[in-house]
Amino acid sequence: MSLLQSIPLAVAQAALLLALSPLFTGVSRMMRARMHSRRGPGVLQDYRDIAKLFRRQDVAPGQAGLAFRLAPAVQLSAMLMLAMALPALTRHSPAGALADLITFVYLFGLARFVFSLSGVDSGSAFAGIGAGRELTLGILVEPTMMLSLLVVALIEGSTNLGAIATGMSGSYLQSPAAIALALAAFAFAVFIEMGKLPFDLAEAEQELQEGPLTEYSGPSLALLKLGLALKKVVLAQFMLGVFLPLGAADSLEAGALLAAAAWLPLKLLAVFLIAAVIENSMARGRFLLTARVTWVGFGLAALSFVFYLTGL
């Protein structure tokens, strides 16, 4: 793939995922309302909310510092870079310089760190508590993600996402048990990162995961909401692109890319619907007990690594 081909494809892919992000968060809200026997907002409500926020005044606390003001742009920029590097429309990454597992881990870590730091930098005790809980979830979830990705990287002999996706499309006979468990562990981590029960509460999301949003308003809040929505879509596509590279184009022909672009929303919709059904079928739990639940995902990832070592 030449540079002239890869850059427009990467930008178009990131723009498509960004445009779809509010739609899928709206689908999650609609599914929650339906399963709670409520009418709830429409699936396009998030688009209206973001458009309204862009027209509002941007107000910041007087004690807020540079981290608070830069966090929305950094959060959204990091997610857009990840969206450009994903194997989404094709099985190869259109942004090869970013398409490395180590780069992905660092960019996710950067986005989480800046998002949490903005809560502390706002001067609000409430936002600071939310920032601490965000970092706690990161500590609990990121080892599971990294270990499950390490397994597939070892199986394919590369940390490049495009190489892994291409290899996974024909390598399920290689260590199938290890790949299946790695997929289950990574899906578990994605479920947590999407802010689902029992790791978040629909009626109190400011308290649990999105506490740093408390002091934001106007365009800054709109950018953060876009960044957080895009993060969910990026993680879902990350799982699909690496572990289930189905429907992606094998070439850069216009017909193949259009077919892949048509399949992409349907695959993401399936992931968000499954996550919504699982979330709304679970009972609430205390946040302090989430550490015990996350051991399930880490156990699956560790077991997949053992299976890889034994060749299963």
Side-chain angles (χ1 to χ4, degrees):
M1 185 185 301
S2 67
L3 186 63
L4 292 178
Q5 292 174 318
S6 62
I7 293 179
L9 180 60
V11 173
Q13 177 176 288
L16 177 61
L17 292 177
L18 179 63
L20 291 173
S21 298
L23 174 64
F24 290 119
T25 55
V27 168
S28 297
R29 292 170 61 178
M30 183 197 69
M31 284 291 296
R32 180 187 299 132
R34 293 294 188 270
M35 294 187 70
H36 291 179
S37 299
R38 296 184 287 109
R39 181 176 180 179
V43 294
L44 302 180
Q45 182 61 46
D46 283 357
Y47 289 103
R48 292 189 286 267
D49 291 343
I50 291 172
K52 184 188 301 182
L53 286 171
F54 274 118
R55 296 194 299 267
R56 297 293 177 86
Q57 183 180 3
D58 198 342
V59 180
Q63 65 271 28
L66 184 61
F68 179 87
R69 302 177 189 280
L70 291 181
V74 173
Q75 171 84 13
L76 183 58
S77 299
M79 291 302 112
L80 285 173
M81 291 174 67
L82 294 175
M84 292 173 63
L86 285 173
L89 297 178
T90 64
R91 291 179 182 173
H92 301 281
S93 171
L98 300 173
D100 189 88
L101 292 181
I102 299 174
T103 304
F104 260 66
V105 170
Y106 274 106
L107 284 175
F108 271 120
L110 173 65
R112 187 189 301 278
F113 172 74
V114 173
F115 180 54
S116 302
L117 185 61
S118 68
V120 178
D121 196 40
S122 68
S124 168
F126 191 65
I129 293 174
R133 293 186 174 187
E134 172 73 13
L135 291 175
T136 300
L137 281 180
I139 294 172
L140 295 174
V141 174
E142 287 175 3
T144 300
M145 298 180 68
M146 290 187 288
L147 185 55
S148 58
L149 292 173
L150 175 63
V151 171
V152 294
L154 289 172
I155 291 174
E156 300 303 332
S158 174
T159 59
N160 182 272
L161 293 179
I164 294 174
T166 303
M168 290 290 285
S169 61
S171 299
Y172 285 99
L173 295 179
Q174 270 189 346
S175 303
I179 292 176
L181 286 172
L183 171 59
F186 192 80
F188 183 85
V190 169
F191 182 83
I192 297 174
E193 289 282 12
M194 292 173 73
K196 304 298 184 181
L197 284 171
F199 306 97
D200 194 8
L201 299 181
E203 296 80 10
E205 60 184 8
Q206 295 289 337
E207 178 186 354
L208 294 184
Q209 279 196 301
E210 296 181 356
L213 290 179
T214 305
E215 299 296 334
Y216 280 100
S217 62
S220 295
L221 181 57
L223 290 177
L224 270 177
K225 284 185 171 292
L226 275 173
L228 293 173
L230 182 58
K231 176 183 177 181
K232 297 177 182 180
V233 173
V234 164
L235 284 168
Q237 180 53 42
F238 197 146
M239 179 181 66
L240 292 171
V242 172
F243 290 94
L244 300 169
L246 306 174
D250 293 322
S251 65
L252 296 180
E253 296 179 358
L257 290 176
L258 289 175
W263 272 107
L264 181 61
L266 298 178
K267 294 185 294 183
L268 290 172
L269 178 62
V271 172
F272 275 82
L273 289 178
I274 292 172
V277 170
I278 295 174
E279 175 193 17
N280 293 286
S281 302
M282 299 176 66
R284 296 181 178 180
R286 293 177 58 196
F287 182 83
L288 295 177
L289 299 179
T290 54
R292 302 181 185 180
V293 181
T294 53
W295 276 107
V296 175
F298 186 78
L300 290 172
L303 191 59
S304 70
F305 184 70
V306 173
F307 279 16
Y308 161 74
L309 293 177
T310 56
L312 296 177

